[in-house]
Amino acid sequence: IKPHAITLDIMMPGMDGWEALTRLKANPETRDIPIIVVSIVDNKELGYRLGADEYLIKPVDRESLGRVLQRYEGRGKQVLVADDDPDVVDLTRQLLEEDGWTVRAVGNGQLALEALAEEKPDVMLLDLMMPVMDGFETLRRVRANPETKDLPVIVITAKDLAADEVENLRANANRVIAKDGLDRDRILRELREAMSVLRAGSA
């Protein structure tokens, strides 16, 4: 079911929490899911070494557990970044991973379409000026494909857009963020706001 987070006891019959934690973190399908150990066993060092994200000692009150779970709300969401600028890829990866997104990155539109066919993300960040296939053609094909026609797309571009290009993007993209001089703080601010809107809309 790919939950946003897992709370895990240690002392359980059949398979204890240490073994469960080890297997969850070894499996590519579950290793990125945050795991919060909640146990009477006080061995945080081992828990963190095996990959636990948080370690709470029982008894745990509702407020404490709630505060911890809020840190991981929305975790497990996946974003595909299609951009041939490594600075922008690094910038967006830093922000999104801090906010709990799983990030895949490709360097052109053709690779983006191939990545979408392999696994559909929750949102795509798309540059317009890329080699092999530009962002406009990529977006056109995304919208023409029944499997991805409703995929949220955020365009991040340095291109000086003509009027018809602006209209095209307004019709097909959820948001357009300009790279103007790669203003890091502004890009991060706009991107976080856009992703928050998308996350709230899917909740």
Side-chain angles (χ1 to χ4, degrees), residues 128-146:
L128 294 180
M129 296 186 292
M130 297 183 293
V132 184
M133 181 187 296
D134 68 17
F136 289 106
E137 177 62 15
T138 304
L139 187 56
R140 186 190 71 76
R141 296 195 186 192
V142 166
R143 293 299 178 235
N145 185 341

Side-chain angles (χ1 to χ4, degrees), residues 80 82 104 106-121 124 126 130 132-145 148 151:
L80 176 65
R104 290 188 294 159
V106 294
N108 64 62
Q110 182 60 48
L111 292 175
L113 295 178
E114 293 173 7
L116 289 174
E118 291 175 6
E119 184 177 1
K120 182 180 175 182
M124 179 165 71
L126 178 66
M130 297 183 293
V132 184
M133 181 187 296
D134 68 17
F136 289 106
E137 177 62 15
T138 304
L139 187 56
R140 186 190 71 76
R141 296 195 186 192
V142 166
R143 293 299 178 235
N145 185 341
T148 58
L151 175 70

